[in-house]
Amino acid sequence: MALAGSETMNPDGDGETFILRAVRIGAVVALYWFVSITMVFLNSYLLDNRELDAPLFVTFYQCLVTVGLCWLMQLLSKVCPGLIDFPSVKFDLKTSREVLPLSIVFISMITFNNLCLKYVGVAFYTVGRSLSTVFNVLLSYIILKQTTSLQAIMCCGVILGGFWLGVEQEGMTGNLSWTGVFFGVVASACVSLNAIFTKKVMPAVEGNIWKLSYYNNINACVLFLPLILLFGELGSLASFSRSSDLKFWGMMTLGGVFGFAIGYVTGLQIKFTSPLTHNVSGTAKACAQTVIAVVYNSSSKSLLWWTSNMMVLVGSSAYTWVKSLEMKKTPQRVPPDSAKEQLLPEEKGNLEV
């Protein structure tokens, strides 16, 4: 999704005053933080519902909302072409089959993300889901045969150290869920696989991230149905006392809307800043998200617990910085706009990665 006005603006700010450019960038970053943090807390609220133990259904519904929003955006782009720019997509079975391998990884990613968030909560979520970078290095070597520099591997070492320290400190508080940790590790691996498979199937959707999202979520809706039956969530849905509660369905729909919106604000932040700044912003956002969760829950955390979070965040930021320096030394042949689009899938989905 793109507002027509945002596509014609120069993200470098040529012809703008410094203050106006700074305000514009600040507003975009603030919007990204708001959407991302709200989405995580909203999903945590939905998944923590003790009356409805149906995480697969919650994820299925959010994918369904995303498909509906894609249809709505296509309609609005035809009615208001000067205001909204959204690709016209007609469902094609051949394209859907080509995207299917990615869709399998995609539903695994968002499902395990949700399950991790369900069992560990928002405060520990950053650490519990911190191994995406490590898996990215490992799987890139195994699948793509891409080697990684010593500096980047050292950054991964810091992340691993922060992860193990965080698990140890969370265990000492008595709040550690090994189930949640397991789901977080699997989710981290799926995030990396999602990025790799996205690059492979991108040509099938002409390199358009929104076409990919459309097919991905349609496939996901179909794939989730047998899983919901297999894991017996229909019984939980049938006995749910708030099945006719408009507030509940409103929150469910809002979760889907924020899941759809995260892709847009991610792309917007990259467009008006840079991929490096976007990753730094994401790291800072994760730190703020953790602090908000701890304050909101009135929790008391030890110095080592906070140290583990800082190790994860510092290691992730350092890895981003190292990779950006390596990219500058090795000129890329991919056009800037295409390169930016390919960064999006790493944070796409119905949950913040």
Side-chain angles (χ1 to χ4, degrees):
M1 177 180 64
L3 299 178
S6 67
E7 292 298 320
T8 58
M9 294 173 187
N10 184 350
D12 295 325
D14 293 344
E16 293 181 339
T17 64
F18 172 79
I19 294 178
L20 180 59
R21 186 164 66 253
V23 169
R24 190 188 305 281
I25 292 174
V28 168
V29 172
L31 179 63
Y32 168 78
W33 278 42
F34 170 75
V35 172
S36 182
I37 292 176
T38 303
M39 183 179 63
V40 172
F41 276 90
L42 186 57
N43 276 285
S44 178
Y45 166 79
L46 292 170
L47 294 164
D48 197 36
N49 192 324
R50 300 184 184 279
E51 295 182 48
L52 180 64
D53 185 19
L56 291 176
F57 174 75
V58 172
T59 312
F60 159 78
Y61 185 82
Q62 293 181 346
C63 290
L64 196 63
V65 170
T66 297
V67 173
L69 288 172
C70 285
W71 285 338
L72 177 62
M73 294 309 300
Q74 288 185 65
L75 177 62
L76 292 177
S77 67
K78 293 177 181 178
V79 176
C80 311
L83 180 63
I84 296 174
D85 177 25
F86 196 91
S88 178
V89 185
K90 291 184 179 180
F91 183 78
D92 180 72
L93 189 59
K94 179 177 179 294
T95 304
S96 179
R97 285 199 301 266
E98 291 177 343
V99 176
L100 184 60
L102 171 64
S103 300
I104 295 172
V105 175
F106 173 72
I107 66 169
S108 301
M109 178 185 73
I110 57 178
T111 298
F112 286 117
N113 266 333
N114 276 352
L115 289 171
C116 175
L117 190 58
K118 176 181 176 67
Y119 284 96
V120 305
V122 178
F124 190 66
Y125 181 65
T126 299
V127 172
R129 275 275 293 96
S130 63
L131 299 184
S132 298
T133 300
V134 177
F135 276 111
N136 189 47
V137 171
L138 182 63
L139 294 174
S140 293
Y141 177 75
I142 295 173
I143 298 175
L144 304 177
K145 307 302 179 185
Q146 293 180 352
T147 58
T148 305
S149 66
L150 178 61
Q151 293 90 334
I153 292 176
M154 290 174 64
C155 295
C156 291
V158 174
I159 296 172
L160 276 170
F163 172 79
W164 285 116
L165 179 61
V167 169
E168 180 189 22
Q169 291 300 305
E170 190 74 3
M172 291 178 66
T173 65
N175 297 322
L176 179 66
S177 166
W178 282 105
T179 302
V181 172
F182 170 77
F183 287 142
V185 172
V186 177
S188 298
C190 290
V191 169
S192 300
L193 284 172
N194 185 69
I196 292 171
F197 274 87
T198 294
K199 292 178 181 179
K200 288 188 174 183
V201 305
M202 192 65 82
V205 291
E206 302 169 344
N208 190 293
I209 194 68
W210 291 110
K211 286 185 179 181
L212 181 64
S213 178
Y214 174 76
Y215 279 104
N216 226 359
N217 282 277
I218 286 181
N219 286 346
C221 288
V222 175
L223 292 170
F224 268 124
L225 291 175
L227 291 175
I228 290 172
L229 290 171
L230 181 64
F231 286 91
E233 290 192 359
L234 280 182
S236 181
L237 290 169
S239 61
F240 184 47
S241 61
R242 296 176 57 193
S243 59
S244 59
D245 187 348
L246 292 180
K247 180 183 177 182
F248 168 76
W249 289 108
M251 295 294 283
M252 287 277 285
T253 303
L254 190 61
V257 171
F258 272 89
F260 178 82
I262 189 62
Y264 174 62
V265 296
T266 296
L268 199 65
Q269 179 166 253
I270 293 172
K271 177 182 176 65
F272 282 95
T273 58
S274 69
L276 174 59
T277 303
H278 163 70
N279 281 290
V280 172
S281 173
T283 301
K285 186 275 307 179
C287 181
Q289 181 176 283
T290 301
V291 172
I292 292 171
V294 171
V295 172
Y296 178 77
N297 294 319
S298 300
S299 304
S300 177
K301 302 296 184 182
S302 68
L303 178 61
L304 285 177
W305 189 93
W306 287 109
T307 301
S308 71
N309 278 265
M310 291 309 299
M311 287 177 67
V312 166
L313 297 173
V314 169
S316 300
S317 297
Y319 177 86
T320 300
W321 180 67
V322 168
K323 295 301 288 185
S324 68
L325 291 179
E326 292 175 357
M327 289 178 67
K328 288 179 180 178
K329 292 179 181 178
T330 308
Q332 304 293 309
R333 294 182 179 180
V334 182
D337 290 339
S338 300
K340 288 179 181 180
E341 278 203 336
Q342 290 195 24
L343 287 171
L344 296 181
E346 298 184 14
E347 285 209 1
K348 278 291 292 175
N350 297 73
L351 259 191
E352 174 72 0
V353 170

